[in-house]
């Protein structure tokens, strides 16, 4: 995916690129931008009953009924406060994000781990 970043007024022309790699158990998101101070947001649908644990390095684990979802990133993965709720659809989500550096590639890997 290639495009241009804009602000709330639809102004701006900073280019970005994203690449999604999908397999049966993993999703890898890679990207870059020319913009400094940009953020990449990745809300993960997860009800408040599911635990979220920070792991070593830039990792998080979200417990689910059937196992867990592992998130790993090439830079510091952060959470923007508590879960957010979208009344359209009725989903709760954990609002993960990365602070992006201009001209530096970022990546996030999501991996499904089944319960044993």
């Amino acid at each position: 995916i290639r495009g241009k970043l804009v602000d709330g007024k639809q102004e701006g022309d900073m280019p970005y690129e994203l690449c999604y790699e999908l397999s049966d158990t993993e999703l890898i998101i890679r990207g870059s931008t020319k913009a400094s101070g940009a953020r990449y947001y990745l809300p993960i649908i997860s009800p408040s009953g599911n635990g979220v644990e920070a792991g070593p390095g830039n990792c998080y684990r979200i417990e689910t009924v059937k196992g867990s979802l592992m998130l790993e990133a090439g830079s510091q993965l952060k959470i923007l406060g508590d879960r957010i709720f979208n009344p359209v659809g009725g989903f709760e989500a954990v609002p993960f994000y990365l602070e992006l550096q201009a001209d530096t590639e970022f990546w996030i890997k999501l991996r499904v781990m089944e319960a044993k």
Side-chain angles (χ1 to χ4, degrees):
I1 299 169
R2 290 186 178 102
K4 305 252 181 194
L5 296 175
V6 296
D7 61 16
K9 296 178 184 176
Q10 300 300 305
E11 296 174 354
D13 64 350
M14 292 305 240
Y16 72 89
E17 290 186 16
L18 293 171
C19 177
Y20 297 90
E21 300 171 31
L22 183 62
S23 73
D24 289 344
T25 58
E26 286 184 350
L27 169 63
I28 300 173
I29 303 167
R30 299 180 193 280
S32 64
T33 182
K34 298 276 184 193
S36 59
R39 286 184 175 178
Y40 181 80
Y41 289 95
L42 184 64
I44 301 293
I45 294 173
S46 171
S48 55
N50 292 353
V52 178
E53 297 177 12
N58 299 312
C59 297
Y60 279 89
R61 177 187 188 120
I62 300 176
E63 294 297 324
T64 69
V65 174
K66 295 184 178 183
S68 58
L69 177 66
M70 302 294 294
L71 286 86
E72 181 181 0
S75 59
Q76 186 178 8
L77 189 59
K78 300 177 183 179
I79 300 176
L80 184 66
D82 295 324
R83 280 181 169 80
I84 54 177
F85 179 75
N86 185 340
V88 178
F91 296 115
E92 286 181 291
V94 180
F96 289 99
Y97 72 95
L98 291 174
E99 305 260 354
L100 305 181
Q101 303 298 319
D103 298 316
T104 303
E105 183 178 278
F106 69 90
W107 61 268
I108 302 173
K109 181 191 297 186
L110 293 86
R111 187 168 25 124
V112 175
M113 307 289 289
E114 291 186 26
K116 295 181 181 180

